[in-house]
């Protein structure tokens, strides 16, 4: 068994897929299935698990940090970056449309929110670990 995709719901999959395509530098592919629009954001060489966006008109943004009475996150994404690029990647995510979460759990990484309110983390790792894992 292989993980084929990570699917995120939104009430605006055009904006959400545009955000992740720009953030990651990946391409977008739009499909229609039984009248439903799906957008896939995928790396050109297919070496990473793609993100798929599903339209949900009843979508409610999760709140960060979670509360018992508000919509909670179902999943969040972690993005690893070289430690030396940590601040520039945060700035780039903001340029792409992300916002910094008000509540940060650690000073070692940053929790951010995408344009549909999904939390994601930018996590710095040592250059040699990054290069060993990703070959870049």
């Amino acid at each position: 068994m292989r993980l084929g995709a990570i699917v995120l719901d939104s009430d605006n999959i055009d904006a959400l897929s545009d955000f992740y395509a720009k953030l990651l530098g990946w391409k977008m592919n739009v499909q229609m299935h039984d009248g439903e629009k799906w957008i896939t954001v995928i790396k050109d060489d297919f070496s990473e698990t793609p993100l798929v966006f599903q339209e949900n008109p009843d979508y409610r943004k999760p709140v960060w940090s979670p509360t018992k009475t508000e919509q909670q996150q179902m999943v969040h994404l972690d993005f690893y970056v070289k430690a030396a690029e940590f601040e520039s990647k945060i700035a780039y995510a903001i340029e792409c449309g992300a916002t910094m979460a008000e509540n940060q759990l650690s000073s070692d990484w940053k929790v951010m929110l995408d344009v549909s309110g999904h939390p994601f983390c930018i996590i710095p790792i040592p250059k040699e670990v990054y290069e060993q894992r990703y070959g870049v």
Side-chain angles (χ1 to χ4, degrees):
M1 187 178 305
R2 304 266 186 199
L3 177 62
I6 298 167
V7 181
L8 297 173
D9 288 0
S10 177
D11 57 355
N12 186 345
I13 62 172
D14 292 308
L16 187 59
S17 60
D18 284 345
F19 168 78
Y20 281 106
K22 182 176 180 182
L23 181 72
L24 299 170
W26 294 2
K27 65 181 179 178
M28 289 186 355
N29 183 348
V30 178
Q31 306 97 26
M32 295 295 290
H33 296 285
D34 297 325
E36 290 185 29
K37 182 178 179 181
W38 294 72
I39 301 175
T40 301
V41 173
I42 192 162
K43 192 170 180 182
D44 282 337
D45 65 2
F46 304 98
S47 62
E48 304 224 16
T49 302
L51 299 174
V52 178
F53 303 92
Q54 175 179 325
E55 191 81 31
N56 178 351
D58 298 321
Y59 174 78
R60 290 186 312 155
K61 289 182 178 185
V63 293
W64 181 263
S65 292
T67 70
K68 292 181 180 182
T69 59
E70 301 286 335
Q71 175 66 32
Q72 295 185 21
Q73 68 177 352
M74 300 288 289
V75 67
H76 77 268
L77 304 174
D78 284 349
F79 295 105
Y80 296 160
V81 299
K82 294 176 189 172
E85 298 176 339
F86 182 54
E87 294 299 328
S88 67
K89 295 299 183 184
I90 291 168
Y92 183 67
I94 291 169
E95 181 184 316
C96 290
T99 56
M100 187 73 66
E102 217 173 282
N103 186 15
Q104 295 293 317
L105 301 177
S106 171
S107 60
D108 295 333
W109 67 85
K110 293 295 181 193
V111 179
M112 306 194 76
L113 305 173
D114 70 22
V115 297
S116 288
H118 300 106
F120 67 92
C121 297
I122 297 181
I123 302 170
I125 59 176
K127 179 182 177 191
E128 57 277 2
V129 174
Y130 187 93
E131 291 173 352
Q132 180 182 21
R133 184 167 186 174
Y134 300 108
V136 180

